[in-house]
Amino acid sequence: MLSHIVKPARSGLANFKRPLTFTKHLRAFATVDGNTPRVQPTPSRKRATPISHDRATFTIRDGPIFNGKSFGAKSNISGEAVFTTSLVGYPESLTDPSYRGQILVFTQPLIGNYGIPSADRDENGLLRYFESPNLQAAGVVVADVAEQYSHWTAVKSLGEWCAEEGVPAVSGVDTRAIVTYLREQGSSLARITIGEEYDADQDEAFVDPEQINLVRKVSTKAPFHVSSGSGDFHVAVLDCGVKENILRSLVGRGASVTAFPYDYPIHKVAHHFDGVFLSNGPGDPTHCQDTVYHLQRLMETSQVPIMGICLGHQLLALAAGARTIKLKYGNRAHNIPALDLTTGRCHITSQNHGYAVDTSTLPSDWKEYFVNLNDSSNEGIIHKSRPIFGTQFHPEARGGPLDSSYLFDTYLESVARYKKSQAMFQPNRDNRPSPLLVDLLAKERVGVVPTTGMENLLRMGAAGEEAAARAA
């Protein structure tokens, strides 16, 4: 088991040239009962700029142009313009890796009034208030920003945070008109330009993040481990851009977690774990063909319980033989009703996705689990006879309601049954992480580069992406 899991980490570390060093993550003495706090990577100040209050232009390709005022970084970027109707939770939303490459438009008129909290960590070493160490959205658009904030957890303003992270932000625009356009035309490519007049000749510079494998940008480049002191389960997580609260939801329920890169051949090591979990992530799921193949092999060769969330749910469906479709403008909110077709109960859910599973293409041994009561799109699938299911919404809900958090309990109940059944045939089987494994693996995502805007990704080109991957 150890050679299978540790080998990629050693390979990644050999080429790792970022300032963050692996030795900072190692512990002098191994233990599986506690958990050493994970060290947050120092933000790259190469991206940081002073707060810009210049003129700002938000331009939708082949659409309207909105003039406002900058309150973030002085940086010009391009990305996919999407909107969220969430009233609160902007620190969690902006650090959600699922928003990578997107310009996030908030329908809530006032954003930033409770500031940005600190990077404190909980007893498991997980970020308490953020869903990843860095701001993930390519840009931020609001009607009005609160430059003065008030909250007991706040340590800086939204504008200060955006400037530190190198992310441009625009206020003073009519977000109602923007959302009306996006609802009618669908999610569209857009640009944020700071301190410059709009030039129609620049339209060719719009970059479509859907043409880029964004999952590669946000996934760990080598395995990392988070221990749980309250149970003896061991779950393998495919990190497609996993949120901190997904890890917390597993660890808090007694499951130690070892997270792998999104394209890791998980079927080769699944027998060393009590369950496999597929995380959320950004972009088009069809970019992850290696992951789909590995999941197909996993379901062919193992009876291990599997749960997927968001992108993980879509990858599970693709591995089962179904297809995914691009939604017109997606679902991004904290108050979307989803109906459980097995119980008839409705749950208010947190969502962030632009793709959905086409249930008409599901094989006969699968069925629809949840359905969206707003647009009738799919919100979950479940295998008819095996402990495998996925949800399009986020049961961990950070931010958002916790109506569906019981699904983690459902998953871990199947993990417990699987672990018990395996013990009957292999009495000495013990999948708990070994002290040596805990010592050798990192405690944080390895080699994940912060967002730099889709404009910069375009400049990098294919050769630049390969060089960045080698450097990571």
Side-chain angles (χ1 to χ4, degrees):
M1 171 186 178
L2 192 58
S3 61
H4 282 303
I5 296 176
V6 176
K7 185 176 180 180
R10 293 178 60 191
S11 175
L13 292 169
N15 297 317
F16 190 68
K17 295 182 173 62
R18 287 178 54 77
L20 176 63
T21 59
F22 182 68
T23 56
K24 292 182 180 180
H25 292 300
L26 294 180
R27 291 182 288 168
F29 300 99
T31 175
V32 296
D33 293 328
N35 196 41
T36 298
R38 301 190 294 161
V39 179
Q40 182 177 7
T42 302
S44 172
R45 295 306 175 190
K46 292 181 180 180
R47 302 176 298 125
T49 73
I51 297 180
S52 168
H53 296 291
D54 297 335
R55 169 194 173 101
T57 304
F58 176 66
T59 307
I60 298 177
R61 188 176 189 181
D62 299 325
I65 302 170
F66 299 88
N67 295 313
K69 180 180 178 182
S70 168
F71 69 91
K74 190 168 185 177
S75 174
N76 299 335
I77 58 92
S78 174
E80 181 187 23
V82 300
F83 66 89
T84 176
T85 61
S86 304
L87 302 182
V88 295
Y90 56 86
E92 295 91 338
S93 293
L94 290 172
T95 54
D96 182 349
S98 296
Y99 279 116
R100 190 67 170 253
Q102 296 179 329
I103 301 173
L104 187 55
V105 180
F106 288 88
T107 62
Q108 171 72 356
L110 179 64
I111 295 294
N113 54 305
Y114 57 91
I116 299 299
S118 68
D120 287 350
R121 292 178 178 270
D122 63 16
E123 63 278 7
N124 297 309
L126 296 163
L127 291 165
R128 193 181 299 276
Y129 305 115
F130 298 139
E131 292 307 305
S132 70
N134 296 101
L135 202 161
Q136 298 288 343
V140 180
V141 178
V142 303
D144 191 16
V145 63
E147 297 184 357
Q148 300 295 322
Y149 59 86
S150 177
H151 197 271
W152 67 273
T153 64
V155 296
K156 65 187 72 173
S157 70
L158 176 58
E160 291 171 333
W161 187 43
C162 288
E164 288 178 4
E165 293 285 329
V167 174
V170 181
S171 67
V173 296
D174 188 350
T175 53
R176 296 169 300 177
I178 295 173
V179 171
T180 298
Y181 180 87
L182 295 178
R183 284 183 64 91
E184 293 174 352
Q185 301 298 321
S187 298
S188 306
L189 299 183
R191 287 177 54 87
I192 292 179
T193 306
I194 307 298
E196 300 175 10
E197 294 289 341
Y198 170 72
D199 184 352
D201 293 335
Q202 294 293 319
D203 269 4
E204 62 183 18
F206 285 92
V207 182
D208 185 0
E210 298 302 320
Q211 302 305 313
I212 301 170
N213 186 351
L214 296 172
V215 175
R216 182 183 294 122
K217 305 292 182 183
V218 299
S219 175
T220 184
K221 303 306 181 289
F224 68 89
H225 182 82
V226 185
S227 293
S228 172
S230 60
D232 60 356
F233 300 137
H234 192 190
V235 171
V237 173
L238 277 185
D239 174 20
C240 302
V242 64
K243 294 172 63 178
E244 294 280 288
N245 206 42
I246 288 179
L247 299 177
R248 182 181 293 108
S249 297
L250 293 170
V251 173
R253 288 172 168 82
S256 293
V257 167
T258 299
F260 294 87
Y262 78 101
D263 55 354
Y264 193 93
I266 194 65
H267 59 285
K268 295 183 178 180
V269 297
H271 59 286
H272 294 296
F273 295 88
D274 303 313
V276 172
F277 195 98
L278 316 176
S279 85
N280 63 294
D284 186 345
T286 59
H287 284 304
C288 304
Q289 291 301 316
D290 287 344
T291 309
V292 171
Y293 171 74
H294 296 153
L295 291 175
Q296 288 173 336
R297 292 293 309 278
L298 174 65
M299 289 189 287
E300 291 171 358
T301 59
S302 174
Q303 295 296 314
V304 67
I306 304 173
M307 177 179 175
I309 288 179
C310 197
L311 180 72
H313 156 75
Q314 297 163 10
L315 295 174
L316 184 63
L318 290 174
R323 293 197 297 267
T324 56
I325 56 175
K326 178 73 182 290
L327 298 175
K328 184 176 182 180
Y329 49 80
N331 287 307
R332 298 174 181 88
H334 295 164
N335 60 347
I336 298 179
L339 179 65
D340 183 341
L341 296 177
T342 65
T343 65
R345 294 180 178 178
C346 176
H347 305 289
I348 303 301
T349 64
S350 175
Q351 300 194 16
N352 170 22
H353 61 96
Y355 289 82
V357 174
D358 181 358
T359 53
S360 67
T361 63
L362 280 175
S364 59
D365 51 351
W366 292 78
K367 64 179 180 180
E368 191 169 24
Y369 193 179
F370 291 91
V371 64
N372 188 309
L373 290 181
N374 285 344
D375 62 9
S376 298
S377 62
N378 174 256
E379 293 290 348
I381 60 173
I382 187 170
H383 197 278
K384 292 181 179 179
S385 60
R386 295 174 59 182
I388 307 175
F389 71 94
T391 65
Q392 187 62 70
F393 54 85
H394 287 264
E396 84 286 352
R398 182 63 68 91
L402 298 174
D403 291 31
S404 56
S405 61
Y406 72 91
L407 290 170
F408 285 99
D409 299 316
T410 301
Y411 170 65
L412 290 175
E413 287 169 2
S414 67
V415 167
R417 288 192 295 269
Y418 174 76
K419 185 178 181 71
K420 183 178 180 180
S421 68
Q422 293 300 300
M424 294 175 59
F425 301 102
Q426 305 174 50
N428 297 322
R429 182 177 186 267
D430 186 359
N431 282 341
R432 288 179 297 178
S434 70
L436 181 58
L437 175 66
V438 172
D439 242 5
L440 290 176
L441 293 184
K443 304 300 178 287
E444 179 60 271
R445 307 159 216 250
V446 177
V448 178
V449 180
T451 183
T452 54
M454 303 316 296
E455 181 85 352
N456 294 335
L457 289 179
L458 177 66
R459 292 195 186 104
M460 286 174 65
E465 287 193 8
E466 293 177 1
R470 288 195 297 270

